[in-house]
Amino acid sequence: MLSFVGPDTARSDAELLAAHVAGDRHAFAELFARHHRRLHGLARRRTRCAEDAADALQDAMLAAHRGAAAFRHDAAVGSWLHRIVLNACLDRLRRAAAQPTIALTDEGSVADRTAEVDTALEVRRALMRLPADQRAAVLAVDMHGYSVADAAALLGVAEGTVKSRRARARVRLSGLLRADAP
């Protein structure tokens, strides 16, 4: 006998998550389908690259799938998923910052390219010596082009906190780069 599940009998996000934890193999897929468009849009805005957005969303959904039993029900499931996607995007930004790439062109000499690589390595070493919160703020705004408001949302802090962390990071970076200069 076929049964119709209409809008009046649709399960809530919390019920879907609980069903997933209880072993319902289809509940998480339904929850993901319900939030996919919004979460993908969030990842796309945060990473600014379609491939990174897709990867971050996949990482986030795997984390949510595996960590569903730890959900404390102190927030909406949609908010919880939103936060997991933001964290996955931030992790991608951190990894990208830790492994910067420099495009080499046919223009310029080998010495010019070597100097660019050396400079990039010096900046990377200096960045790695910053406290993590300062490094994240300066990378998000100054290197990845996020607005202060977007960086604040990405990092889960107030805009003023992003501004002060960036200011402290810039002062410290200036000192570190001057100290490392020949």
PDB file of all heavy atoms in Angstrom, residues 109-144:
ATOM      1  N   SER A 109      62.854  37.138 -15.716  1.00  0.00           N
ATOM      2  CA  SER A 109      63.972  36.194 -15.680  1.00  0.00           C
ATOM      3  C   SER A 109      63.789  35.180 -14.566  1.00  0.00           C
ATOM      4  O   SER A 109      62.918  35.305 -13.717  1.00  0.00           O
ATOM      5  CB  SER A 109      65.272  36.966 -15.449  1.00  0.00           C
ATOM      6  OG  SER A 109      65.272  37.508 -14.142  1.00  0.00           O
ATOM      7  N   VAL A 110      64.645  34.189 -14.575  1.00  0.00           N
ATOM      8  CA  VAL A 110      64.637  33.185 -13.520  1.00  0.00           C
ATOM      9  C   VAL A 110      64.939  33.845 -12.181  1.00  0.00           C
ATOM     10  O   VAL A 110      64.351  33.500 -11.152  1.00  0.00           O
ATOM     11  CB  VAL A 110      65.651  32.068 -13.845  1.00  0.00           C
ATOM     12  CG1 VAL A 110      65.786  31.112 -12.677  1.00  0.00           C
ATOM     13  CG2 VAL A 110      65.239  31.334 -15.104  1.00  0.00           C
ATOM     14  N   ALA A 111      65.819  34.829 -12.183  1.00  0.00           N
ATOM     15  CA  ALA A 111      66.162  35.531 -10.952  1.00  0.00           C
ATOM     16  C   ALA A 111      64.944  36.258 -10.381  1.00  0.00           C
ATOM     17  O   ALA A 111      64.732  36.271  -9.163  1.00  0.00           O
ATOM     18  CB  ALA A 111      67.293  36.524 -11.202  1.00  0.00           C
ATOM     19  N   ASP A 112      64.119  36.856 -11.263  1.00  0.00           N
ATOM     20  CA  ASP A 112      62.899  37.529 -10.806  1.00  0.00           C
ATOM     21  C   ASP A 112      61.949  36.524 -10.156  1.00  0.00           C
ATOM     22  O   ASP A 112      61.358  36.789  -9.121  1.00  0.00           O
ATOM     23  CB  ASP A 112      62.186  38.216 -11.971  1.00  0.00           C
ATOM     24  CG  ASP A 112      62.940  39.422 -12.499  1.00  0.00           C
ATOM     25  OD1 ASP A 112      63.803  39.948 -11.772  1.00  0.00           O
ATOM     26  OD2 ASP A 112      62.653  39.837 -13.643  1.00  0.00           O
ATOM     27  N   ARG A 113      61.794  35.383 -10.786  1.00  0.00           N
ATOM     28  CA  ARG A 113      60.896  34.359 -10.243  1.00  0.00           C
ATOM     29  C   ARG A 113      61.414  33.839  -8.909  1.00  0.00           C
ATOM     30  O   ARG A 113      60.650  33.622  -7.981  1.00  0.00           O
ATOM     31  CB  ARG A 113      60.759  33.205 -11.234  1.00  0.00           C
ATOM     32  CG  ARG A 113      60.006  33.600 -12.470  1.00  0.00           C
ATOM     33  CD  ARG A 113      59.883  32.443 -13.423  1.00  0.00           C
ATOM     34  NE  ARG A 113      59.471  32.945 -14.725  1.00  0.00           N
ATOM     35  CZ  ARG A 113      59.773  32.369 -15.856  1.00  0.00           C
ATOM     36  NH1 ARG A 113      60.478  31.254 -15.872  1.00  0.00           N
ATOM     37  NH2 ARG A 113      59.362  32.875 -16.990  1.00  0.00           N
ATOM     38  N   THR A 114      62.713  33.646  -8.824  1.00  0.00           N
ATOM     39  CA  THR A 114      63.319  33.176  -7.579  1.00  0.00           C
ATOM     40  C   THR A 114      63.092  34.188  -6.467  1.00  0.00           C
ATOM     41  O   THR A 114      62.760  33.820  -5.337  1.00  0.00           O
ATOM     42  CB  THR A 114      64.822  32.904  -7.775  1.00  0.00           C
ATOM     43  OG1 THR A 114      64.970  31.943  -8.817  1.00  0.00           O
ATOM     44  CG2 THR A 114      65.455  32.385  -6.509  1.00  0.00           C
ATOM     45  N   ALA A 115      63.246  35.461  -6.778  1.00  0.00           N
ATOM     46  CA  ALA A 115      63.025  36.509  -5.784  1.00  0.00           C
ATOM     47  C   ALA A 115      61.569  36.518  -5.320  1.00  0.00           C
ATOM     48  O   ALA A 115      61.294  36.696  -4.124  1.00  0.00           O
ATOM     49  CB  ALA A 115      63.413  37.871  -6.356  1.00  0.00           C
ATOM     50  N   GLU A 116      60.624  36.313  -6.249  1.00  0.00           N
ATOM     51  CA  GLU A 116      59.210  36.272  -5.882  1.00  0.00           C
ATOM     52  C   GLU A 116      58.935  35.096  -4.942  1.00  0.00           C
ATOM     53  O   GLU A 116      58.205  35.231  -3.954  1.00  0.00           O
ATOM     54  CB  GLU A 116      58.339  36.145  -7.130  1.00  0.00           C
ATOM     55  CG  GLU A 116      58.274  37.392  -7.971  1.00  0.00           C
ATOM     56  CD  GLU A 116      57.460  37.181  -9.244  1.00  0.00           C
ATOM     57  OE1 GLU A 116      56.677  36.199  -9.308  1.00  0.00           O
ATOM     58  OE2 GLU A 116      57.609  37.992 -10.160  1.00  0.00           O
ATOM     59  N   VAL A 117      59.506  33.955  -5.258  1.00  0.00           N
ATOM     60  CA  VAL A 117      59.311  32.767  -4.424  1.00  0.00           C
ATOM     61  C   VAL A 117      59.934  32.993  -3.048  1.00  0.00           C
ATOM     62  O   VAL A 117      59.324  32.670  -2.016  1.00  0.00           O
ATOM     63  CB  VAL A 117      59.889  31.506  -5.111  1.00  0.00           C
ATOM     64  CG1 VAL A 117      59.899  30.321  -4.159  1.00  0.00           C
ATOM     65  CG2 VAL A 117      59.093  31.179  -6.365  1.00  0.00           C
ATOM     66  N   ASP A 118      61.120  33.564  -3.016  1.00  0.00           N
ATOM     67  CA  ASP A 118      61.777  33.854  -1.738  1.00  0.00           C
ATOM     68  C   ASP A 118      60.931  34.796  -0.892  1.00  0.00           C
ATOM     69  O   ASP A 118      60.770  34.587   0.316  1.00  0.00           O
ATOM     70  CB  ASP A 118      63.171  34.463  -1.959  1.00  0.00           C
ATOM     71  CG  ASP A 118      64.183  33.439  -2.464  1.00  0.00           C
ATOM     72  OD1 ASP A 118      63.907  32.226  -2.351  1.00  0.00           O
ATOM     73  OD2 ASP A 118      65.242  33.869  -2.978  1.00  0.00           O
ATOM     74  N   THR A 119      60.395  35.819  -1.522  1.00  0.00           N
ATOM     75  CA  THR A 119      59.544  36.768  -0.799  1.00  0.00           C
ATOM     76  C   THR A 119      58.296  36.074  -0.262  1.00  0.00           C
ATOM     77  O   THR A 119      57.909  36.278   0.895  1.00  0.00           O
ATOM     78  CB  THR A 119      59.144  37.941  -1.717  1.00  0.00           C
ATOM     79  OG1 THR A 119      60.334  38.600  -2.160  1.00  0.00           O
ATOM     80  CG2 THR A 119      58.245  38.930  -0.997  1.00  0.00           C
ATOM     81  N   ALA A 120      57.683  35.254  -1.101  1.00  0.00           N
ATOM     82  CA  ALA A 120      56.484  34.530  -0.663  1.00  0.00           C
ATOM     83  C   ALA A 120      56.800  33.625   0.519  1.00  0.00           C
ATOM     84  O   ALA A 120      56.005  33.529   1.472  1.00  0.00           O
ATOM     85  CB  ALA A 120      55.909  33.716  -1.820  1.00  0.00           C
ATOM     86  N   LEU A 121      57.943  32.978   0.495  1.00  0.00           N
ATOM     87  CA  LEU A 121      58.330  32.108   1.610  1.00  0.00           C
ATOM     88  C   LEU A 121      58.575  32.911   2.884  1.00  0.00           C
ATOM     89  O   LEU A 121      58.195  32.479   3.976  1.00  0.00           O
ATOM     90  CB  LEU A 121      59.569  31.293   1.242  1.00  0.00           C
ATOM     91  CG  LEU A 121      59.341  30.190   0.205  1.00  0.00           C
ATOM     92  CD1 LEU A 121      60.666  29.576  -0.220  1.00  0.00           C
ATOM     93  CD2 LEU A 121      58.397  29.131   0.748  1.00  0.00           C
ATOM     94  N   GLU A 122      59.199  34.063   2.750  1.00  0.00           N
ATOM     95  CA  GLU A 122      59.427  34.919   3.925  1.00  0.00           C
ATOM     96  C   GLU A 122      58.108  35.378   4.525  1.00  0.00           C
ATOM     97  O   GLU A 122      57.934  35.364   5.750  1.00  0.00           O
ATOM     98  CB  GLU A 122      60.274  36.136   3.536  1.00  0.00           C
ATOM     99  CG  GLU A 122      61.723  35.822   3.248  1.00  0.00           C
ATOM    100  CD  GLU A 122      62.486  37.046   2.744  1.00  0.00           C
ATOM    101  OE1 GLU A 122      62.124  38.183   3.107  1.00  0.00           O
ATOM    102  OE2 GLU A 122      63.448  36.858   1.981  1.00  0.00           O
ATOM    103  N   VAL A 123      57.191  35.793   3.674  1.00  0.00           N
ATOM    104  CA  VAL A 123      55.879  36.238   4.157  1.00  0.00           C
ATOM    105  C   VAL A 123      55.147  35.073   4.812  1.00  0.00           C
ATOM    106  O   VAL A 123      54.547  35.221   5.882  1.00  0.00           O
ATOM    107  CB  VAL A 123      55.048  36.853   3.010  1.00  0.00           C
ATOM    108  CG1 VAL A 123      53.617  37.099   3.445  1.00  0.00           C
ATOM    109  CG2 VAL A 123      55.694  38.145   2.522  1.00  0.00           C
ATOM    110  N   ARG A 124      55.219  33.904   4.207  1.00  0.00           N
ATOM    111  CA  ARG A 124      54.562  32.724   4.787  1.00  0.00           C
ATOM    112  C   ARG A 124      55.135  32.398   6.162  1.00  0.00           C
ATOM    113  O   ARG A 124      54.397  32.123   7.111  1.00  0.00           O
ATOM    114  CB  ARG A 124      54.726  31.527   3.859  1.00  0.00           C
ATOM    115  CG  ARG A 124      54.061  30.281   4.409  1.00  0.00           C
ATOM    116  CD  ARG A 124      54.126  29.150   3.420  1.00  0.00           C
ATOM    117  NE  ARG A 124      53.459  27.998   3.988  1.00  0.00           N
ATOM    118  CZ  ARG A 124      53.984  26.786   4.010  1.00  0.00           C
ATOM    119  NH1 ARG A 124      55.139  26.552   3.463  1.00  0.00           N
ATOM    120  NH2 ARG A 124      53.329  25.797   4.556  1.00  0.00           N
ATOM    121  N   ARG A 125      56.462  32.431   6.287  1.00  0.00           N
ATOM    122  CA  ARG A 125      57.090  32.161   7.591  1.00  0.00           C
ATOM    123  C   ARG A 125      56.635  33.182   8.623  1.00  0.00           C
ATOM    124  O   ARG A 125      56.339  32.834   9.770  1.00  0.00           O
ATOM    125  CB  ARG A 125      58.612  32.174   7.458  1.00  0.00           C
ATOM    126  CG  ARG A 125      59.195  30.885   6.927  1.00  0.00           C
ATOM    127  CD  ARG A 125      60.716  30.818   7.107  1.00  0.00           C
ATOM    128  NE  ARG A 125      61.423  31.776   6.261  1.00  0.00           N
ATOM    129  CZ  ARG A 125      61.807  31.531   5.023  1.00  0.00           C
ATOM    130  NH1 ARG A 125      61.570  30.359   4.480  1.00  0.00           N
ATOM    131  NH2 ARG A 125      62.451  32.442   4.322  1.00  0.00           N
ATOM    132  N   ALA A 126      56.579  34.448   8.226  1.00  0.00           N
ATOM    133  CA  ALA A 126      56.143  35.494   9.148  1.00  0.00           C
ATOM    134  C   ALA A 126      54.679  35.282   9.541  1.00  0.00           C
ATOM    135  O   ALA A 126      54.314  35.423  10.713  1.00  0.00           O
ATOM    136  CB  ALA A 126      56.346  36.875   8.521  1.00  0.00           C
ATOM    137  N   LEU A 127      53.838  34.937   8.574  1.00  0.00           N
ATOM    138  CA  LEU A 127      52.427  34.683   8.875  1.00  0.00           C
ATOM    139  C   LEU A 127      52.267  33.527   9.860  1.00  0.00           C
ATOM    140  O   LEU A 127      51.433  33.583  10.760  1.00  0.00           O
ATOM    141  CB  LEU A 127      51.655  34.358   7.587  1.00  0.00           C
ATOM    142  CG  LEU A 127      51.277  35.536   6.712  1.00  0.00           C
ATOM    143  CD1 LEU A 127      50.791  35.050   5.346  1.00  0.00           C
ATOM    144  CD2 LEU A 127      50.222  36.399   7.378  1.00  0.00           C
ATOM    145  N   MET A 128      53.066  32.500   9.695  1.00  0.00           N
ATOM    146  CA  MET A 128      52.958  31.337  10.567  1.00  0.00           C
ATOM    147  C   MET A 128      53.396  31.651  11.999  1.00  0.00           C
ATOM    148  O   MET A 128      53.067  30.915  12.920  1.00  0.00           O
ATOM    149  CB  MET A 128      53.766  30.159  10.007  1.00  0.00           C
ATOM    150  CG  MET A 128      53.223  29.639   8.672  1.00  0.00           C
ATOM    151  SD  MET A 128      51.448  29.336   8.643  1.00  0.00           S
ATOM    152  CE  MET A 128      51.347  27.951   9.743  1.00  0.00           C
ATOM    153  N   ARG A 129      54.119  32.742  12.186  1.00  0.00           N
ATOM    154  CA  ARG A 129      54.554  33.136  13.533  1.00  0.00           C
ATOM    155  C   ARG A 129      53.507  33.987  14.249  1.00  0.00           C
ATOM    156  O   ARG A 129      53.662  34.285  15.437  1.00  0.00           O
ATOM    157  CB  ARG A 129      55.890  33.878  13.446  1.00  0.00           C
ATOM    158  CG  ARG A 129      57.013  32.920  13.011  1.00  0.00           C
ATOM    159  CD  ARG A 129      58.327  33.588  12.761  1.00  0.00           C
ATOM    160  NE  ARG A 129      58.859  34.248  13.945  1.00  0.00           N
ATOM    161  CZ  ARG A 129      59.930  35.026  13.922  1.00  0.00           C
ATOM    162  NH1 ARG A 129      60.579  35.231  12.780  1.00  0.00           N
ATOM    163  NH2 ARG A 129      60.364  35.594  15.028  1.00  0.00           N
ATOM    164  N   LEU A 130      52.471  34.385  13.533  1.00  0.00           N
ATOM    165  CA  LEU A 130      51.386  35.155  14.148  1.00  0.00           C
ATOM    166  C   LEU A 130      50.478  34.222  14.952  1.00  0.00           C
ATOM    167  O   LEU A 130      50.341  33.042  14.607  1.00  0.00           O
ATOM    168  CB  LEU A 130      50.530  35.823  13.076  1.00  0.00           C
ATOM    169  CG  LEU A 130      51.148  36.926  12.241  1.00  0.00           C
ATOM    170  CD1 LEU A 130      50.158  37.387  11.176  1.00  0.00           C
ATOM    171  CD2 LEU A 130      51.572  38.096  13.105  1.00  0.00           C
ATOM    172  N   PRO A 131      49.813  34.752  15.975  1.00  0.00           N
ATOM    173  CA  PRO A 131      48.776  33.950  16.640  1.00  0.00           C
ATOM    174  C   PRO A 131      47.694  33.582  15.617  1.00  0.00           C
ATOM    175  O   PRO A 131      47.408  34.350  14.690  1.00  0.00           O
ATOM    176  CB  PRO A 131      48.221  34.900  17.711  1.00  0.00           C
ATOM    177  CG  PRO A 131      49.321  35.901  17.932  1.00  0.00           C
ATOM    178  CD  PRO A 131      50.015  36.051  16.612  1.00  0.00           C
ATOM    179  N   ALA A 132      47.099  32.429  15.783  1.00  0.00           N
ATOM    180  CA  ALA A 132      46.141  31.907  14.799  1.00  0.00           C
ATOM    181  C   ALA A 132      44.990  32.870  14.533  1.00  0.00           C
ATOM    182  O   ALA A 132      44.577  33.033  13.381  1.00  0.00           O
ATOM    183  CB  ALA A 132      45.598  30.563  15.269  1.00  0.00           C
ATOM    184  N   ASP A 133      44.467  33.520  15.568  1.00  0.00           N
ATOM    185  CA  ASP A 133      43.332  34.418  15.356  1.00  0.00           C
ATOM    186  C   ASP A 133      43.731  35.650  14.538  1.00  0.00           C
ATOM    187  O   ASP A 133      42.991  36.100  13.670  1.00  0.00           O
ATOM    188  CB  ASP A 133      42.687  34.832  16.681  1.00  0.00           C
ATOM    189  CG  ASP A 133      43.642  35.511  17.650  1.00  0.00           C
ATOM    190  OD1 ASP A 133      44.869  35.496  17.421  1.00  0.00           O
ATOM    191  OD2 ASP A 133      43.156  36.066  18.643  1.00  0.00           O
ATOM    192  N   GLN A 134      44.932  36.178  14.765  1.00  0.00           N
ATOM    193  CA  GLN A 134      45.408  37.316  13.990  1.00  0.00           C
ATOM    194  C   GLN A 134      45.687  36.893  12.545  1.00  0.00           C
ATOM    195  O   GLN A 134      45.353  37.602  11.597  1.00  0.00           O
ATOM    196  CB  GLN A 134      46.676  37.907  14.607  1.00  0.00           C
ATOM    197  CG  GLN A 134      46.440  38.610  15.926  1.00  0.00           C
ATOM    198  CD  GLN A 134      47.731  39.141  16.530  1.00  0.00           C
ATOM    199  OE1 GLN A 134      48.774  39.168  15.890  1.00  0.00           O
ATOM    200  NE2 GLN A 134      47.652  39.562  17.786  1.00  0.00           N
ATOM    201  N   ARG A 135      46.293  35.743  12.379  1.00  0.00           N
ATOM    202  CA  ARG A 135      46.614  35.241  11.049  1.00  0.00           C
ATOM    203  C   ARG A 135      45.330  35.041  10.245  1.00  0.00           C
ATOM    204  O   ARG A 135      45.247  35.430   9.075  1.00  0.00           O
ATOM    205  CB  ARG A 135      47.397  33.929  11.151  1.00  0.00           C
ATOM    206  CG  ARG A 135      47.818  33.377   9.814  1.00  0.00           C
ATOM    207  CD  ARG A 135      48.733  32.150   9.931  1.00  0.00           C
ATOM    208  NE  ARG A 135      48.211  31.104  10.776  1.00  0.00           N
ATOM    209  CZ  ARG A 135      48.756  30.698  11.925  1.00  0.00           C
ATOM    210  NH1 ARG A 135      49.857  31.248  12.377  1.00  0.00           N
ATOM    211  NH2 ARG A 135      48.195  29.724  12.624  1.00  0.00           N
ATOM    212  N   ALA A 136      44.312  34.448  10.858  1.00  0.00           N
ATOM    213  CA  ALA A 136      43.051  34.202  10.157  1.00  0.00           C
ATOM    214  C   ALA A 136      42.415  35.514   9.706  1.00  0.00           C
ATOM    215  O   ALA A 136      41.910  35.610   8.580  1.00  0.00           O
ATOM    216  CB  ALA A 136      42.089  33.424  11.060  1.00  0.00           C
ATOM    217  N   ALA A 137      42.456  36.532  10.554  1.00  0.00           N
ATOM    218  CA  ALA A 137      41.853  37.820  10.200  1.00  0.00           C
ATOM    219  C   ALA A 137      42.595  38.475   9.039  1.00  0.00           C
ATOM    220  O   ALA A 137      41.974  38.958   8.087  1.00  0.00           O
ATOM    221  CB  ALA A 137      41.839  38.750  11.415  1.00  0.00           C
ATOM    222  N   VAL A 138      43.909  38.502   9.099  1.00  0.00           N
ATOM    223  CA  VAL A 138      44.677  39.165   8.039  1.00  0.00           C
ATOM    224  C   VAL A 138      44.591  38.375   6.730  1.00  0.00           C
ATOM    225  O   VAL A 138      44.513  38.962   5.648  1.00  0.00           O
ATOM    226  CB  VAL A 138      46.134  39.431   8.477  1.00  0.00           C
ATOM    227  CG1 VAL A 138      47.024  38.220   8.344  1.00  0.00           C
ATOM    228  CG2 VAL A 138      46.736  40.591   7.709  1.00  0.00           C
ATOM    229  N   LEU A 139      44.558  37.072   6.803  1.00  0.00           N
ATOM    230  CA  LEU A 139      44.432  36.266   5.589  1.00  0.00           C
ATOM    231  C   LEU A 139      43.068  36.462   4.931  1.00  0.00           C
ATOM    232  O   LEU A 139      42.980  36.641   3.715  1.00  0.00           O
ATOM    233  CB  LEU A 139      44.646  34.784   5.893  1.00  0.00           C
ATOM    234  CG  LEU A 139      46.070  34.353   6.181  1.00  0.00           C
ATOM    235  CD1 LEU A 139      46.110  32.902   6.636  1.00  0.00           C
ATOM    236  CD2 LEU A 139      46.960  34.560   4.982  1.00  0.00           C
ATOM    237  N   ALA A 140      42.025  36.425   5.739  1.00  0.00           N
ATOM    238  CA  ALA A 140      40.671  36.546   5.187  1.00  0.00           C
ATOM    239  C   ALA A 140      40.469  37.891   4.489  1.00  0.00           C
ATOM    240  O   ALA A 140      39.976  37.944   3.361  1.00  0.00           O
ATOM    241  CB  ALA A 140      39.631  36.360   6.291  1.00  0.00           C
ATOM    242  N   VAL A 141      40.884  38.984   5.143  1.00  0.00           N
ATOM    243  CA  VAL A 141      40.610  40.310   4.591  1.00  0.00           C
ATOM    244  C   VAL A 141      41.687  40.757   3.601  1.00  0.00           C
ATOM    245  O   VAL A 141      41.393  41.138   2.471  1.00  0.00           O
ATOM    246  CB  VAL A 141      40.459  41.356   5.723  1.00  0.00           C
ATOM    247  CG1 VAL A 141      40.243  42.751   5.157  1.00  0.00           C
ATOM    248  CG2 VAL A 141      39.303  40.972   6.642  1.00  0.00           C
ATOM    249  N   ASP A 142      42.941  40.703   4.012  1.00  0.00           N
ATOM    250  CA  ASP A 142      44.013  41.279   3.200  1.00  0.00           C
ATOM    251  C   ASP A 142      44.483  40.378   2.067  1.00  0.00           C
ATOM    252  O   ASP A 142      44.956  40.881   1.046  1.00  0.00           O
ATOM    253  CB  ASP A 142      45.208  41.644   4.084  1.00  0.00           C
ATOM    254  CG  ASP A 142      44.860  42.735   5.079  1.00  0.00           C
ATOM    255  OD1 ASP A 142      44.089  43.636   4.714  1.00  0.00           O
ATOM    256  OD2 ASP A 142      45.357  42.688   6.214  1.00  0.00           O
ATOM    257  N   MET A 143      44.362  39.078   2.225  1.00  0.00           N
ATOM    258  CA  MET A 143      44.889  38.195   1.181  1.00  0.00           C
ATOM    259  C   MET A 143      43.793  37.540   0.349  1.00  0.00           C
ATOM    260  O   MET A 143      44.000  37.255  -0.812  1.00  0.00           O
ATOM    261  CB  MET A 143      45.803  37.144   1.800  1.00  0.00           C
ATOM    262  CG  MET A 143      47.020  37.787   2.465  1.00  0.00           C
ATOM    263  SD  MET A 143      48.202  36.612   3.055  1.00  0.00           S
ATOM    264  CE  MET A 143      49.190  36.420   1.591  1.00  0.00           C
ATOM    265  N   HIS A 144      42.625  37.301   0.962  1.00  0.00           N
ATOM    266  CA  HIS A 144      41.554  36.649   0.221  1.00  0.00           C
ATOM    267  C   HIS A 144      40.457  37.611  -0.205  1.00  0.00           C
ATOM    268  O   HIS A 144      39.509  37.215  -0.875  1.00  0.00           O
ATOM    269  CB  HIS A 144      40.968  35.489   1.032  1.00  0.00           C
ATOM    270  CG  HIS A 144      41.943  34.372   1.216  1.00  0.00           C
ATOM    271  ND1 HIS A 144      42.293  33.510   0.203  1.00  0.00           N
ATOM    272  CD2 HIS A 144      42.676  33.988   2.286  1.00  0.00           C
ATOM    273  CE1 HIS A 144      43.178  32.647   0.641  1.00  0.00           C
ATOM    274  NE2 HIS A 144      43.434  32.916   1.899  1.00  0.00           N
TER     275      HIS A 144
END
